[in-house]
Amino acid sequence: SKPSRHEIYTSALHHADRAPYSMLFSERKKTDKVDISEGLRSYICSHYSDSIANSHLDALTSLNQLREDVRAISDKSDVAKDLLFRYYTQLSLLSFRFPFAESSVRVQFVWYDVYKNKKATNFSIHFERASVLYNYAATLSQLAASQQKSSDDGIKRANAYFQAAAGAFQGVRDIVAEHPECSQAMDLVPEALQMLTTLMLAQAQECFYLKAARDKMKDAIISKLVAQVGDYYEQVASLLNGPALKSLVDRTWHAQAEILVLHYKSLAQVKGCAGLPEAMKYGEQISRLRLALGFATEAKKKLGRGTNLEIKEAVEHNHALVDKTLMLAEKDNDTIYHDPVPPDMKLDAIEKKPIVKPTPLPDTAAVEDPFSTIVPYQVQEAAVRYAETRDNMVRSEQRALADLNELARATLSSMNLPGAIEALEAPTGIPPALQSKINEVRNDRGMQLVTELMETLSTLSTEDTRMLKSALVELDKEEKDDDALRAAHGGRWQRTPSHTLTGTLRQEGAKFSGNLEHAIKSDSFVAKKFQEHSAYIMALQTGEGEVLKLLPANDLITGTTLEDVINLKRYLGELDALVARREALRTELSEMSNNDNIASKLLAQQHRSHEDVFEEELRKYNDIKSQLRTNATTQESLLEAVRVENERFVAGRQQDSIAQRREQVLQALSNAHKAYTELKANLREGIQFYTNFQEILSQFERKCKDFIFARDQEKQDLLEQLSAPPPQAPQPSAQAQPARPPSYSPQQPPAQFYPTAPSPVSQAPSAPPYPGVPPRYHPPAPPSAPSPYPPHPVPPRPHRLMPPPSWGPPCPPPPHPNPPRPPPPPPP
């Protein structure tokens, strides 16, 4: 029996239940064997040290083996996919740390494109990253295409793989956009990557549409899904027919994309007819079916012998159903409904509904980096700039704290407090508070301790000054020697003048000289404080007998009792607690600053601007700064309360000259004890400063010697050339020999400042300061002191990781004629 019209319409609307055709996927790129470890090891030797390179030998070997495993992949499996992404992640980490280029980490990567098998080579690690990520995306596309679409689970897996492949191909395109040198490979041009991304989305949307049809979702919804599939394929066909890909990609891809564009446009119009007969829109139904038949006819015309059999069956099936459905609809309308048929240009476009999108690449934050101890120069430099900003903030807060302490001390001293209260509490003998101070200074052997610390400080200061002066004198000698030879040889002395090359070194030297001048000025303040209070510090150390000689007794104090100073003592106790809290905040601020190394965060967030990271990291200090502001406000109120209460205290007591003298001596002894405590802290801080600065100057001294050594070698070579007899005219058959590269390359970038001990940002040693000089190990900076020596600490600067000369430095380095002098041991 013939099917009813309803059955024919239903068949036309739901013929998407047919099994889909085989979907498209990309092949993987091929590569040759490449040794990454040798280039990396050479770079680490020359820019860090041979010992650091040796400590990473296992990591280098594993990296080489990982690439070989990737090169040997031949199957399409989740294991292959994960292996590719693991290698891609390692490459991404390497790209943050090492400058892969022809003049630095020299590794030539080789890959063949998937379309013409044409070889492409590049020294950029981003070319390797893009190629490996391409293979990761291709493997995802192969996994998606291989899923059994006859089951719901298979469709879901294929959909997920296709979206992941789209995200991976988009990731490749992002790498190429940022590093255009990668597009020398024909399959890495932006048009090819955009085409593959869109193709993966088209096929993912197809899977979604197929699942929706099987779940018998409403035809109005399915029409939107189908329309979007057609739109994706239209974008793919447009890219395939563009000038970049027209002659590159296999023609079967062009044909299949064009057929599927027409097929899904036809299917979208068929699905768009859903509900029209029930709404009595017979004319619109006919118009859409005619449009659908036109697309189906065009698709059928494009079928050829090379067309996929499943696609051919789907197109022909769709054409037959649409043709039959249209014939019946036209007959019914002509005989029954007589509904006007609108032209197709007046039809509303079928709404498109994109459901799929590129899946982001997996998170790599938890991946272990085998080279994590090697911090790249760019990150070092940014971390140093942050450290300078942070240290300036910390120093500003510390200066404000010192001003608050000095204000409290001077205010109380002007009121003779707490000496006046101690004199009232103990009119004879030694007050308990003074006794505890005597015990402390005596147990410390205070005078001897301060004297020994000052001698150590002076010795270190003298040695630091000598080291800096010696380095600068050597630079002056080298420059005078160069000027003399240039004057003697005239135009034949063809090398860069010394003053042009030593600008950065002299800038460093001038900066270090300023640091020493400020430190020596601080030393003089400390010495002056000791001189002012030494007599009373000696009295405290000598003990009770000496203090009693200075301290007159007064048995006649009348008019004021201990009850009269209760409020005053309470205010002074609150002030002491406030100062102690402030000191605790100062310690907390210093410790937080000393432990604040953001190099790892900068390395992990290189996509963000450094200033944004700095601003975010400095916000963690806001709580302490806020507490310090509150502390300062509270002190101001307390000092005013002390002043008012002290006026009452002074007005209510009767005193004679002995009482006044006793108060003055007690106050002087209290001030001496406070000065003694400050002297110990200042002197130890100064010793720490000079000790750390000595290591910095030692590094500066080595840099100057390395430079002078390289210039001396270059000078000897040039003198030999000038003294040699003129060469004979070359024979016609002789082949010219390449010129020997100079031992010192003036084109290399100058070295920057070395990091200071107060703000270490990396344990990585510096690069060789000048090309041509054998690299040597530079020990890491010592740990930071609690705070820089007041008031002008040395601002930190990074080692410059300079690119090696084109002929490459030796590895491991030969012994240097001027071996580094080990820093002296810290003072006890």
Side-chain angles (χ1 to χ4, degrees):
S1 61
K2 293 183 179 180
S4 65
R5 286 180 172 81
H6 177 73
E7 289 173 338
I8 293 174
Y9 292 155
T10 303
S11 176
L13 290 173
H14 295 287
H15 67 293
D17 290 332
R18 294 170 56 86
Y21 54 89
S22 298
M23 294 182 172
L24 297 173
F25 60 87
S26 174
E27 297 290 347
R28 285 189 288 259
K29 295 166 66 69
K30 292 181 173 58
T31 182
D32 292 340
K33 184 174 182 178
V34 173
D35 187 353
I36 302 180
S37 62
E38 185 55 37
L40 265 177
R41 185 179 184 280
S42 176
Y43 179 86
I44 296 172
C45 282
S46 60
H47 287 72
Y48 294 89
S49 75
D50 187 45
S51 61
I52 289 181
N54 291 335
S55 68
H56 287 85
L57 283 180
D58 289 343
L60 293 169
T61 303
S62 298
L63 183 65
N64 252 9
Q65 185 58 51
L66 182 58
R67 191 183 194 280
E68 278 302 289
D69 293 342
V70 164
R71 190 170 75 94
I73 290 176
S74 59
D75 62 332
K76 47 186 177 185
S77 65
D78 284 316
V79 173
K81 166 182 69 72
D82 294 341
L83 185 63
L84 282 161
F85 193 75
R86 180 184 163 202
Y87 180 50
Y88 167 77
T89 302
Q90 292 298 319
L91 290 173
S92 298
L93 293 172
L94 286 173
S95 69
F96 292 145
R97 298 191 184 280
F98 302 105
F100 282 78
E102 190 172 1
S103 60
S104 48
V105 182
R106 187 181 173 88
V107 179
Q108 189 173 37
F109 300 104
V110 180
W111 288 91
Y112 298 84
D113 77 90
V114 299
Y115 301 119
K116 303 296 184 182
N117 201 35
K118 185 177 179 181
K119 180 179 179 179
T121 62
N122 201 302
F123 289 95
S124 171
I125 194 173
H126 302 294
F127 177 63
E128 177 87 345
R129 286 178 63 221
S131 301
V132 173
L133 188 58
Y134 184 102
N135 280 4
Y136 172 74
T139 303
L140 286 168
S141 73
Q142 294 168 15
L143 286 167
S146 66
Q147 298 301 310
Q148 293 294 328
K149 318 276 188 319
S150 57
S151 68
D152 287 351
D153 288 342
I155 293 174
K156 289 179 181 178
R157 285 194 298 270
N159 176 277
Y161 279 132
F162 276 131
Q163 291 187 73
F169 280 124
Q170 185 170 281
V172 179
R173 189 180 57 173
D174 292 341
I175 294 174
V176 173
E178 189 174 352
H179 306 280
E181 69 273 13
C182 301
S183 60
Q184 71 178 90
M186 292 187 292
D187 52 2
L188 296 183
V189 296
E191 295 84 354
L193 297 171
Q194 180 61 52
M195 181 272 294
L196 288 170
T197 302
T198 310
L199 176 63
M200 297 300 109
L201 292 176
Q203 297 183 148
Q205 182 91 3
E206 271 187 288
C207 292
F208 203 97
Y209 145 66
L210 181 60
K211 181 68 170 59
R214 290 186 178 181
D215 292 344
K216 301 191 182 306
M217 295 180 69
K218 293 181 179 180
D219 290 313
I221 296 176
I222 293 178
S223 68
K224 298 176 183 180
L225 300 178
V226 173
Q228 184 61 52
V229 175
D231 183 67
Y232 279 138
Y233 273 117
E234 193 165 25
Q235 295 177 46
V236 172
S238 176
L239 289 165
L240 286 171
N241 290 317
L245 304 181
K246 192 168 186 177
S247 60
L248 182 65
V249 183
D250 190 283
R251 292 302 301 172
T252 58
W253 282 42
H254 295 252
Q256 182 163 322
E258 291 171 354
I259 292 171
L260 291 176
V261 170
L262 296 167
H263 175 67
Y264 279 106
K265 282 186 174 183
S266 172
L267 190 57
Q269 294 299 327
V270 172
K271 293 292 182 180
C273 293
L276 292 180
E278 290 81 358
M280 302 180 69
K281 296 181 179 180
Y282 306 107
E284 182 180 343
Q285 179 194 24
I286 292 172
S287 182
R288 290 196 180 278
L289 287 172
R290 287 175 179 173
L291 195 57
L293 183 61
F295 289 134
T297 302
E298 287 296 318
K300 188 175 179 180
K301 288 179 181 178
K302 288 183 176 292
L303 298 176
R305 287 187 299 178
T307 304
N308 181 283
L309 181 60
E310 293 171 329
I311 293 179
K312 186 176 182 181
E313 290 178 356
V315 169
E316 290 175 345
H317 180 72
N318 178 65
H319 182 273
L321 281 174
V322 174
D323 186 38
K324 192 170 212 177
T325 306
L326 176 60
M327 181 182 66
L328 291 174
E330 287 177 334
K331 183 177 181 181
D332 286 349
N333 192 54
D334 290 343
T335 59
I336 303 173
Y337 307 116
H338 305 289
D339 192 31
V341 178
D344 56 14
M345 70 279 297
K346 289 190 176 181
L347 295 175
D348 291 335
I350 301 294
E351 182 184 350
K352 305 180 185 72
K353 184 69 174 177
I355 298 297
V356 298
K357 60 182 179 180
T359 302
L361 294 173
D363 185 25
T364 60
V367 176
E368 182 180 357
D369 185 358
F371 300 94
S372 59
T373 56
I374 299 178
V375 180
Y377 167 73
Q378 292 83 354
V379 173
Q380 282 186 341
E381 188 177 52
V384 165
R385 286 195 291 109
Y386 168 78
E388 289 178 345
T389 304
R390 177 204 65 211
D391 290 348
N392 287 335
M393 179 271 295
V394 171
R395 282 193 290 271
S396 175
E397 295 298 325
Q398 289 177 337
R399 282 195 296 270
L401 289 179
D403 291 343
L404 287 172
N405 290 339
E406 178 59 26
L407 175 63
R409 187 200 65 77
T411 302
L412 294 181
S413 182
S414 67
M415 292 185 283
N416 225 12
L417 294 174
I421 296 177
E422 291 177 353
L424 177 65
E425 291 176 330
T428 61
I430 298 176
L434 179 58
Q435 183 64 56
S436 65
K437 295 169 185 174
I438 292 172
N439 294 340
E440 178 187 344
V441 177
R442 181 168 52 197
N443 293 338
D444 287 349
R445 294 186 307 112
M447 284 296 291
Q448 290 89 333
L449 175 62
V450 173
T451 302
E452 290 171 2
L453 290 175
M454 290 187 70
E455 289 175 355
T456 302
L457 186 77
S458 176
T459 300
L460 289 171
S461 173
T462 302
E463 175 61 15
D464 285 10
T465 303
R466 184 204 63 76
M467 291 172 66
L468 179 59
K469 184 177 180 181
S470 172
L472 295 177
V473 166
E474 292 300 319
L475 287 181
D476 291 340
K477 288 181 180 179
E478 192 282 328
E479 183 172 336
K480 290 178 181 178
D481 182 52
D482 180 62
D483 291 342
L485 289 169
R486 180 170 288 100
H489 295 280
R492 295 196 302 159
W493 192 252
Q494 297 180 354
R495 71 167 182 169
T496 308
S498 294
H499 66 83
T500 304
L501 300 172
T502 57
T504 302
L505 287 172
R506 292 192 180 279
Q507 185 180 359
E508 283 188 75
K511 192 175 189 67
F512 293 154
S513 295
N515 296 140
L516 278 176
E517 288 176 7
H518 287 301
I520 292 170
K521 186 176 181 181
S522 297
D523 296 345
S524 66
F525 292 148
V526 172
K528 183 178 179 182
K529 182 187 293 187
F530 178 59
Q531 185 178 4
E532 290 174 354
H533 297 279
S534 59
Y536 284 103
I537 294 174
M538 176 59 78
L540 290 171
Q541 178 181 327
T542 303
E544 294 82 350
E546 185 65 24
V547 170
L548 287 173
K549 291 179 183 178
L550 299 173
L551 197 60
N554 183 21
D555 298 326
L556 303 176
I557 296 180
T558 58
T560 303
T561 65
L562 294 178
E563 287 76 10
D564 297 324
V565 295
I566 290 177
N567 288 337
L568 186 57
K569 289 183 65 177
R570 177 167 58 83
Y571 289 143
L572 290 177
E574 291 178 6
L575 186 62
D576 288 341
L578 199 68
V579 172
R581 175 57 185 158
R582 193 157 61 226
E583 181 61 22
L585 289 173
R586 186 197 70 80
T587 302
E588 184 179 349
L589 182 66
S590 297
E591 290 177 353
M592 183 182 292
S593 173
N594 293 337
N595 297 325
D596 188 10
N597 185 350
I598 67 167
S600 59
K601 295 181 180 178
L602 289 169
L603 190 64
Q605 304 181 52
Q606 294 196 47
H607 59 283
R608 297 179 60 192
S609 72
H610 291 156
E611 284 66 28
D612 289 344
V613 178
F614 293 174
E615 183 179 353
E616 178 181 308
E617 289 298 315
L618 289 172
R619 279 200 289 268
K620 61 177 172 276
Y621 294 94
N622 288 349
D623 181 56
I624 294 180
K625 291 166 66 176
S626 176
Q627 292 185 60
L628 290 174
R629 301 292 176 272
T630 302
N631 187 287
T633 304
T634 305
Q635 174 173 294
E636 184 178 356
S637 302
L638 268 177
L639 288 177
E640 177 61 21
V642 168
R643 183 189 65 77
V644 172
E645 198 64 31
N646 185 66
E647 288 178 354
R648 294 176 185 170
F649 169 57
V650 172
R653 63 179 176 169
Q654 300 174 6
Q655 284 208 354
D656 56 20
S657 59
I658 296 178
Q660 292 178 353
R661 174 60 183 162
R662 183 176 177 83
E663 287 182 11
Q664 291 171 357
V665 173
L666 285 172
Q667 187 62 42
L669 289 168
S670 178
N671 292 343
H673 177 265
K674 184 181 292 290
Y676 167 71
T677 304
E678 293 173 354
L679 281 168
K680 288 193 297 181
N682 291 341
L683 288 168
R684 285 168 177 158
E685 197 170 11
I687 289 170
Q688 184 66 49
F689 168 82
Y690 282 120
T691 302
N692 294 341
F693 197 42
Q694 198 166 97
E695 173 60 25
I696 297 167
L697 291 176
S698 177
Q699 294 174 354
F700 177 69
E701 222 179 4
R702 287 197 296 269
K703 284 175 65 178
C704 293
K705 289 179 179 179
D706 288 343
F707 168 77
I708 294 168
F709 174 74
R711 291 284 284 181
D712 186 63
Q713 293 291 104
E714 186 183 44
K715 178 184 73 174
Q716 297 301 328
D717 292 345
L718 192 53
L719 287 173
E720 289 177 8
Q721 295 175 20
L722 293 176
S723 61
Q728 298 180 356
Q731 299 297 324
S733 60
Q735 183 178 0
Q737 296 295 323
R740 176 186 177 187
S743 61
Y744 177 75
S745 174
Q747 284 74 28
Q748 296 295 337
Q752 294 292 329
F753 296 144
Y754 279 62
T756 63
S759 299
V761 298
S762 169
Q763 294 300 319
S766 71
Y770 297 95
V773 179
R776 54 196 302 168
Y777 175 70
H778 292 259
S784 59
S787 64
Y789 187 56
H792 299 284
V794 182
R797 285 290 184 185
H799 297 278
R800 168 73 74 179
L801 301 185
M802 297 169 53
S806 57
W807 57 92
C811 178
H816 194 282
N818 296 304
R821 180 186 55 180

